[in-house]
Amino acid sequence: MLATLAMLFSLPGAAAWAIAAENGGEVDVELLLAVDVSRSMDYEEVRMQREGYIAAIQHPDFINAVRGGLLGRIAVSYFEWAGVVDPSSRIDWQTIETAEDAKAFAARLQERPIITNRRTSISAAIEEGTIALLSNRYAGMRRVIDVSGDGANNVGQPVALARDKAVAAGIVINGLAIMLRPSTTVALDQYYADCVIGGPGSFVLPVHRVEDFTTAIRRKLVLEISDRGASSDPIPIDDPQTDCLVGERQWQNLFDR
C-alpha cells in the first residue's frame, strides 16, 4: 500500500497517515470539501455557495446522516480553489460527531473572508484533496473529495489524470456542477460525469439557480455521509464521452484569435 501511494503521489506523508491510522482516529468517512471561488462566479454567487455549506453542515439531515453511520462520526476538512488552491482557505481536519461539533466547524467557515481568484484548476483541487486525505491522522471507511465548480479545467495537469490517480488510491470524487450560466461548449454536469467524478458510487449534482445552492449542497453532503449513492461497481473512467481537455482548448482559443 505505501509503495503504491509513494509511486502515485510521491508523498512522504502517506507513510505517516498509515501509521496514524494504526493508532486510531477511526471514522465512517473522511470528507474533503473543495470549493470553487474562480472569478467566473460573481461575489453574490460565491457568498451563496459559502452560506450553503455553512447551513448544510449544521442541518439536522446532515447530523442525522453522521449519527446513522457505523461509528457515528466523520472527519471533515475544507479549502477553496481557482487556478490554484488558496493556502489561507484551508480549514484543518475536524471530527464531527455531534451538532455542537458541526456548529464549531461552520463557525470556522463563517469567519473566512470571501476571496476569488483567476482560472480554474479542478486538477489542483483533486491533487490537494488527495494529499490531505492520504496524510491526515484519520482512518476512514471511505475517503471522499467533494468538488464544487462552475467551469471546466483550464490550467494545471489534465483533470482526468488527477482523477485517475485519486481513484487508484481508493478515493471517491463527487461533484457539484454549478450551471448558472454557460461556461463551456459542453454541459458542465456531463463534463463532471465523464472527466471529474470517479470511484464506487460517485455522482454529480447540478445547480441551475443561485437559490438552489443550499438545498443541493445539503443533499450532496447527506448522500456522501450516508453512502446512499454507493454501488459495488466503480464509475467507468477509461472511455469518457466528453472531451476532457475542452477547458484548456477553450482558454487557448482566446489567445489564438
Side-chain angles (χ1 to χ4, degrees), residues 36-42 45 49 81 119-120 122 148-152 176-184 188 192 213:
D36 183 8
V37 291
S38 58
R39 289 177 183 165
S40 50
M41 291 192 290
D42 62 29
E45 291 163 0
Q49 179 182 222
W81 59 275
R119 305 290 293 269
T120 300
I122 305 171
S148 72
D150 80 327
L176 186 74
I178 302 170
M179 304 173 67
L180 305 180
R181 60 180 65 86
S183 58
T184 66
L188 189 63
Y192 263 67
F213 265 128

Side-chain angles (χ1 to χ4, degrees), residues 7-9 127 130 157 160-171:
M7 178 181 67
L8 286 174
F9 302 99
E127 288 174 335
T130 299
Q157 75 165 304
L161 179 59
R163 184 268 319 274
D164 291 351
K165 289 181 180 179
V167 171
I171 294 170

Side-chain angles (χ1 to χ4, degrees), residues 40 54 57 65 77 83 105 108 163 165 180 189 230:
S40 50
I54 291 170
I57 288 168
S77 184
F105 189 89
R108 295 167 69 191
R163 184 268 319 274
K165 289 181 180 179
L180 305 180
D189 53 353

